[in-house]
Amino acid sequence: AAKVDITERKRAEQALRESEERIRSILDTTVNGIITINERGIVESFNRAARSMFGYAENEVIGQNISMLMPEPYHTEHDGHIDNYLRTGTKKIIGIGREVTGLRKNGTTFPMSLAVSEVLIGDLHLFTGIAQDITERKQAEQATEREKQKYEELFNTAQRQAQEMALLNKVQTAL
């Protein structure tokens, strides 16, 4: 019976290792940054896309406060938001996606889309952030807006000139 128990235990351990490896592989091959933090704001996982997006190695971020990836004023305010949520249950970002600003290791900021979810494991709150760098999308939106303004200006100029020509024609006809 002891031999069967040991064999079963080894199979279970192997299955657990394979499951963990599968999950890590999935997380590390996603195109979006995935970051998990605990209820104190300490980073517990930081996938490959997040490392690429922010420019940090995993060991530079794991064990650090998530606010290191945020510019001011978010850097200073973040832990207060977690504390407020844990105290009151009032969600400000959990369960919704929104655009925020990220801070890279080199000090540059960038626009990103962020969705945060929460997992309760016993009494422990874990938060998962799914982040996507939206720099290119924002640049395309700005270029589109500039083009739109340019065409509106051209249209307004053409309309003004047409009105001026119509008025000039009336004056010439009257003379």
Side-chain angles (χ1 to χ4, degrees):
K3 185 176 181 180
V4 171
D5 287 344
I6 291 172
T7 303
E8 283 301 312
R9 182 176 176 189
K10 286 186 177 190
R11 280 189 197 136
E13 288 172 352
Q14 179 64 27
L16 181 60
R17 278 192 298 277
E18 289 172 3
S19 177
E20 288 174 351
E21 186 176 317
R22 190 176 312 116
I23 290 169
R24 178 158 291 285
S25 294
I26 291 167
L27 292 177
D28 267 348
T29 57
T30 62
V31 296
N32 292 326
I34 300 176
I35 306 164
T36 59
I37 65 170
N38 65 24
E39 56 196 20
R40 294 182 327 277
I42 303 302
V43 177
E44 294 190 353
S45 69
F46 196 67
N47 78 339
R48 183 176 296 148
R51 295 190 297 268
S52 175
M53 188 181 315
F54 288 96
Y56 285 98
E58 187 174 34
N59 66 349
E60 293 177 291
V61 178
I62 302 292
Q64 300 299 316
N65 193 290
I66 188 70
S67 63
M68 72 183 283
L69 305 175
M70 304 171 191
E72 288 297 346
Y74 316 107
H75 176 89
T76 303
E77 298 170 350
H78 186 265
D79 288 350
H81 292 307
I82 293 176
D83 292 340
N84 183 58
Y85 168 69
L86 294 173
R87 201 175 56 257
T88 67
T90 304
K91 297 177 180 182
K92 294 197 174 186
I93 189 170
I94 298 168
I96 60 168
R98 68 183 216 185
E99 292 182 7
V100 297
T101 303
L103 178 65
R104 291 190 174 95
K105 182 178 180 179
N106 68 10
T108 61
T109 59
F110 64 100
M112 64 183 209
S113 172
L114 178 66
V116 177
S117 60
E118 175 186 25
V119 175
L120 275 172
I121 302 174
D123 290 338
L124 182 64
H125 295 261
L126 293 177
F127 302 95
T128 301
I130 309 293
Q132 182 179 28
D133 184 338
I134 58 172
T135 301
E136 289 180 10
R137 186 182 89 200
K138 286 297 193 181
Q139 289 171 340
E141 288 172 1
Q142 291 170 351
T144 300
E145 184 60 31
R146 282 192 302 273
E147 288 297 311
K148 179 182 166 191
Q149 288 175 354
K150 186 169 86 174
Y151 286 117
E152 284 176 359
E153 288 173 18
L154 284 170
F155 176 77
N156 290 338
T157 299
Q159 192 175 25
R160 228 179 4 263
Q161 288 176 347
Q163 289 170 348
E164 289 171 0
M165 289 188 66
L167 183 61
L168 185 60
N169 282 341
K170 282 185 182 179
V171 170
Q172 286 179 343
T173 305
L175 293 178

